[in-house]
Amino acid sequence: MDLVPALDEPLKKVLGPATAKVMAEHLGLHTVGDLLHHYPRRYEERGQLTHLADLPMDEHVTVVARVADARLHTFASARAPRGKGQRLEVTITDGSGRLQLVFFGNGVHKPLKELLPGTPAMFAGKVSLFNRRLQLAHPAYELLRGDGEETVETWAGALIPIYPATAKLESWKIGKAVQTVLPSAQEAVDPLPRALREGRGLLPLPEALLKIHRPHTKADIAAARDRLKWDEAFVLQVALARRRHADAQLPAVPRRPRPDGLLAAFDDRLPFTLTEGQRKVSREIFDDLATEHPMHRLLQGEVGSGKTMVALRAMLAVVDAGGQAAMLAPTEVLAQQHHRSIVEMMGELAQGGMLGGAEHATKVVLLTGSMSAAARRQALLDLVTGEAGIVIGTHALIEDKVQFHDLGLVVVDEQHRFGVEQRDALRGKGKQPPHLLVMTATPIPRTVAMTVFGDLETSVLDQLPAGRSPIASHVVPAADKPRFLARAWERVREEVANGHQAYVVCPRIGDEESDPRSATKKPSPEDEAEKRPPLAVLDVADELAKGPLRGLRVEVLHGRMHPDDKDAVMRRFAAGETDVLVATTVIEVGVNVPNATVMVIMDADRFGVSQLHQLRGRVGRGSAPGLCLLVTEMPEASPARQRLNAVAATLDGFELSRIDLEQRREGDVLGQAQSGARTSLKVLAVIEDEEIIAEARDEAAKVVAADPELVSLPGLRTALDALLDEEREQYLEKG
């Protein structure tokens, strides 16, 4: 790679091995260039301090505030039985709120001397809840009014950058390291074509780097961020545009259904009519399948909008045209479920080569990692001979041993569970590149679709099929109002008495081995302030069966069960032989039991917004109305409660995905979707910067059309190599 040597310099050489090691391990920063692109999260102005009232629980924060008072207490403990234990409580304020700092033992002496009332300082630590009040235990701090030369020098600027930091490396230490490498910013190579940069009035890259780290005014910050956002949007869109360009050069076999073939026979036996949305999306897919270049389409649809039906019709069209179709599901439970429901929907059309099979019938096989050797051998044989037109499976489909007679279409369910590389591996199984249909039930705002799935065309199914019932959602504050939780279990009993079934979802399984070290240690006061572990399936199922749901048929389902046992549990639940299924999120996608009407999600605050929306979609799938109860112990004012209130307030997945993104930042969404790793986006906010992304996409398409190999833009090629190298590296590390 031809990166500029100054920016390629390892941090070890510049900052020393100890600091470089922490930066590499905790922040993923290895070179001078990496550190220059580690931008401040925000800036503090002297006299205008952080809002202490808005601090997030359980996160590492840096705040700038003044000491209001400090009190030293003595107490008796196991380590200091004679009342010699010491605890220093310091209250800091920013004028709007107050926050307690606490120091123990020998750690009290230095802060007792330095944190005098009125002293301004920066404090860094993890926010925890103790006696229902927010506190920082043993925070690191840096005084802002010291008499040491260095302190005065370092904090002389009006705007103090606050960097994303870790427990091992505070923001001000990162700031000092940045100061050391900042002169190298002059040598940064600019990835933006000059005409684009000048046409949009953007700063040159070296100037933007100087201004983001050492701004004199707020205008400096705004100009630097504008420029750096363009870098991120443009380089990513060029990567996607080149991928689209390369895909468009590939040949594919056009697949058109026969007028009197399998698809027509299937449509004739459907007991209902397709929704207008399903018909429209099917037309888009059939148009793509008929071309000589591979289809690359993303099908988004709310939970229960009938995506599987659309995908099945596309698969049947390909089988009609002499090809085979493969459907890739993220879990065995889901693969088995898809297989069962597709065979049911097709009836005798799925019995190719068997007695009683219809004239145009084909074989539908299942392929998962846990099948018996004999069943697996038969499935592989059916695929290689072409006997099976449709195969449904998990990652097992990607293995080298799996060979197809003529793979014409790959359908990937729940795209965010699969990296780009896995899609490619399956596509490589065709004699020519097969067509690709990617499905997701996680609604994705338009800009995210452009950023993450920029190499795919998008179709949206936003109509629910007739006969779907509304779902009512309520937050159950278990700590504030225990009576509400008791009422939740009564509701479950009422639904079961009416002939319905219920899910109870927990974040953890509960058979994890406990850490032997933790059993021997006595918890310190700080440890006790930490939260309890999340509720577990096995514990909750046991308590419910003996307590509030005594007499009901309660079963458990989780990812570590043997696949046959999982399948048996799901079959019993689907057949109505179980009243209550206590499960982890293995039921999140694709599980379809129309008779289940109520879902209780324990510790709902431990799940993401999209995940809660997905889970909720498992009820209300029949004619009876659905009920979703979000149980939490978080206090009313906490951000977690606000998140749950948002989920309870709307069933609109697109609205929720916006809320989710705004709260989590895009990193999770983009990273997971690209390769399961962290995102390369640092300043670009996918929701707010919709316009920049759309414009960058247009500009990228023009650049790639004119010069696909980027011969005339070496700076852009370098940036692209860096982006893709990072992506590939992260994927390999994960893989």
Side-chain angles (χ1 to χ4, degrees), residues 454-565:
D455 56 334
L456 304 173
E457 299 297 324
T458 305
S459 296
V460 178
L461 264 182
D462 45 15
Q463 252 180 317
L464 287 188
R468 278 300 160 93
S469 303
I471 305 169
S473 307
H474 303 284
V475 177
V476 178
D480 310 348
K481 299 180 175 155
R483 175 79 198 88
F484 279 33
L485 182 58
R487 176 73 189 114
W489 301 126
E490 286 169 18
R491 282 291 290 117
V492 170
R493 294 194 81 97
E494 288 163 15
E495 286 297 313
V496 172
N498 287 332
H500 296 302
Q501 292 160 280
Y503 296 102
V504 177
V505 180
C506 305
R508 206 162 54 93
I509 296 174
D511 59 358
E512 297 85 349
E513 295 206 359
S514 55
D515 182 353
R517 289 169 309 181
S518 59
T520 54
K521 273 196 335 197
K522 246 191 94 55
S524 69
E526 304 103 290
D527 289 342
E528 283 176 355
E530 286 292 332
K531 295 200 300 193
R532 60 166 176 73
L535 291 169
V537 165
L538 300 175
D539 306 340
V540 168
D542 195 42
E543 283 168 30
L544 292 176
K546 290 176 180 164
L549 302 186
R550 194 169 45 249
L552 301 188
R553 297 167 299 178
V554 177
E555 288 211 56
V556 300
L557 180 71
H558 58 74
R560 275 212 291 278
M561 289 164 63
H562 187 278
D564 291 350
D565 297 341

Side-chain angles (χ1 to χ4, degrees), residues 92-378:
I92 58 172
T93 179
D94 60 355
S96 75
R98 296 164 87 79
L99 179 66
Q100 185 147 347
L101 315 178
V102 54
F103 301 88
F104 293 93
N106 294 333
V108 305
H109 304 308
K110 186 167 175 276
L112 185 61
K113 284 211 298 279
E114 295 180 337
L115 297 180
L116 304 172
T119 307
M122 299 173 84
F123 302 91
K126 192 174 178 188
V127 183
S128 58
L129 203 59
F130 186 64
N131 285 343
R132 297 187 81 77
R133 285 167 62 198
L134 293 181
Q135 71 163 21
L136 295 183
H138 278 290
Y141 62 86
E142 174 96 339
L143 303 179
L144 289 185
R145 196 182 65 183
D147 39 19
E149 272 312 296
E150 183 205 31
T151 317
V152 174
E153 195 52 48
T154 311
W155 305 116
L159 291 160
I160 304 166
I162 305 288
Y163 288 91
T166 78
K168 296 276 192 297
L169 199 65
E170 293 84 22
S171 169
W172 51 89
K173 289 184 182 159
I174 296 172
K176 287 173 187 170
V178 169
Q179 193 70 27
T180 309
V181 301
L182 208 48
S184 308
Q186 291 305 338
E187 302 190 37
V189 176
D190 204 321
L192 292 190
R194 189 170 183 166
L196 188 158
R197 193 180 80 227
E198 290 172 356
R200 294 182 178 275
L202 298 168
L203 298 178
L205 182 57
E207 193 183 331
L209 289 170
L210 287 171
K211 285 187 167 168
I212 195 111
H213 290 294
R214 288 291 167 268
H216 293 299
T217 63
K218 287 184 175 170
D220 282 355
I221 300 170
R225 287 179 70 86
D226 283 351
R227 160 63 220 239
L228 295 166
K229 281 180 176 185
W230 254 96
D231 272 22
E232 290 181 3
F234 183 69
V235 174
L236 187 57
Q237 290 301 340
V238 167
L240 293 166
R242 288 187 70 191
R243 202 181 154 85
R244 283 198 303 277
H245 183 267
D247 283 343
Q249 311 307 309
L250 296 172
V253 179
R255 310 279 181 176
R256 297 183 185 87
R258 295 205 307 276
D260 58 347
L262 182 57
L263 177 62
F266 175 75
D267 284 348
D268 286 345
R269 45 172 293 142
L270 277 182
F272 52 81
T273 52
L274 298 174
T275 64
E276 182 46 48
Q278 284 174 318
R279 282 202 293 272
K280 176 176 148 288
V281 170
S282 287
R283 280 196 298 275
E284 292 171 354
I285 292 172
F286 291 151
D287 288 349
D288 282 1
L289 289 175
T291 63
E292 294 183 356
H293 299 294
M295 164 172 82
H296 293 105
R297 189 165 283 282
L298 171 69
L299 171 56
Q300 294 190 61
E302 277 284 14
V303 175
S305 58
K307 291 183 302 300
T308 312
M309 173 59 70
V310 169
L312 176 55
R313 292 183 73 242
M315 293 197 285
L316 295 174
V318 168
V319 176
D320 247 357
Q324 289 170 294
M327 186 182 220
L328 190 59
T331 64
E332 294 215 346
V333 168
L334 192 51
Q336 287 162 339
Q337 175 110 14
H338 274 319
H339 181 253
R340 252 202 315 273
S341 64
I342 283 175
V343 168
E344 271 168 31
M345 284 196 269
M346 287 176 65
E348 72 227 25
L349 295 174
Q351 294 169 0
M354 292 182 250
L355 277 173
E359 181 195 349
H360 301 292
T362 185
K363 223 174 184 184
V364 180
V365 299
L366 177 69
L367 190 64
T368 63
S370 65
M371 286 166 70
S372 70
R376 188 179 167 77
R377 248 196 324 273
Q378 183 59 52

Side-chain angles (χ1 to χ4, degrees), residues 353-671:
M354 292 182 250
L355 277 173
E359 181 195 349
H360 301 292
T362 185
K363 223 174 184 184
V364 180
V365 299
L366 177 69
L367 190 64
T368 63
S370 65
M371 286 166 70
S372 70
R376 188 179 167 77
R377 248 196 324 273
Q378 183 59 52
L380 291 172
L381 187 65
D382 287 341
L383 285 178
V384 79
T385 58
E387 189 79 13
I390 295 177
V391 58
I392 294 148
T394 53
H395 288 77
L397 281 178
I398 299 173
E399 287 173 18
D400 292 343
K401 290 192 215 57
V402 181
Q403 290 184 337
F404 290 85
H405 177 64
D406 179 13
L407 181 60
L409 170 67
V410 173
V411 179
V412 180
D413 192 17
E414 284 313 317
Q415 157 63 26
H416 60 281
R417 310 290 181 87
F418 294 104
V420 167
E421 284 80 355
Q422 289 159 306
R423 276 178 9 203
D424 285 351
L426 192 52
R427 274 167 35 187
K429 301 264 180 202
K431 292 181 179 133
Q432 284 200 334
H435 298 280
L436 175 71
L437 179 65
V438 166
M439 304 197 295
T440 178
T442 309
I444 304 166
R446 187 175 139 258
T447 40
V448 181
M450 277 196 298
T451 313
V452 180
F453 304 112
D455 56 334
L456 304 173
E457 299 297 324
T458 305
S459 296
V460 178
L461 264 182
D462 45 15
Q463 252 180 317
L464 287 188
R468 278 300 160 93
S469 303
I471 305 169
S473 307
H474 303 284
V475 177
V476 178
D480 310 348
K481 299 180 175 155
R483 175 79 198 88
F484 279 33
L485 182 58
R487 176 73 189 114
W489 301 126
E490 286 169 18
R491 282 291 290 117
V492 170
R493 294 194 81 97
E494 288 163 15
E495 286 297 313
V496 172
N498 287 332
H500 296 302
Q501 292 160 280
Y503 296 102
V504 177
V505 180
C506 305
R508 206 162 54 93
I509 296 174
D511 59 358
E512 297 85 349
E513 295 206 359
S514 55
D515 182 353
R517 289 169 309 181
S518 59
T520 54
K521 273 196 335 197
K522 246 191 94 55
S524 69
E526 304 103 290
D527 289 342
E528 283 176 355
E530 286 292 332
K531 295 200 300 193
R532 60 166 176 73
L535 291 169
V537 165
L538 300 175
D539 306 340
V540 168
D542 195 42
E543 283 168 30
L544 292 176
K546 290 176 180 164
L549 302 186
R550 194 169 45 249
L552 301 188
R553 297 167 299 178
V554 177
E555 288 211 56
V556 300
L557 180 71
H558 58 74
R560 275 212 291 278
M561 289 164 63
H562 187 278
D564 291 350
D565 297 341
K566 277 195 281 203
D567 198 36
V569 168
M570 272 317 300
R571 278 173 189 277
R572 284 196 293 275
F573 189 63
E577 293 162 22
T578 306
D579 299 318
V580 180
L581 187 61
V582 184
T584 55
T585 53
V586 290
I587 61 151
E588 178 187 345
V589 277
V591 172
N592 185 20
V593 180
N595 192 43
T597 52
V598 58
M599 171 171 288
V600 183
I601 303 178
M602 308 301 291
D603 278 343
D605 48 275
R606 313 274 178 129
F607 299 99
V609 171
S610 296
Q611 209 173 18
L612 291 169
H613 182 58
Q614 287 276 28
L615 285 166
R616 169 171 64 186
R618 299 301 114 218
V619 294
R621 299 176 78 85
S623 51
L627 173 66
C628 178
L629 301 173
L630 306 166
V631 180
T632 177
E633 292 189 359
M634 295 306 276
E636 195 157 353
S638 63
R641 270 287 277 282
Q642 289 158 15
R643 213 171 60 230
L644 295 180
N645 291 339
V647 174
T650 178
L651 289 171
D652 180 344
F654 286 94
E655 174 57 26
L656 287 174
S657 67
R658 287 187 81 96
I659 293 168
D660 196 17
L661 275 176
E662 281 158 10
Q663 294 200 332
R664 281 192 308 162
R665 299 230 2 112
E666 298 71 36
D668 315 5
V669 180
L670 295 180

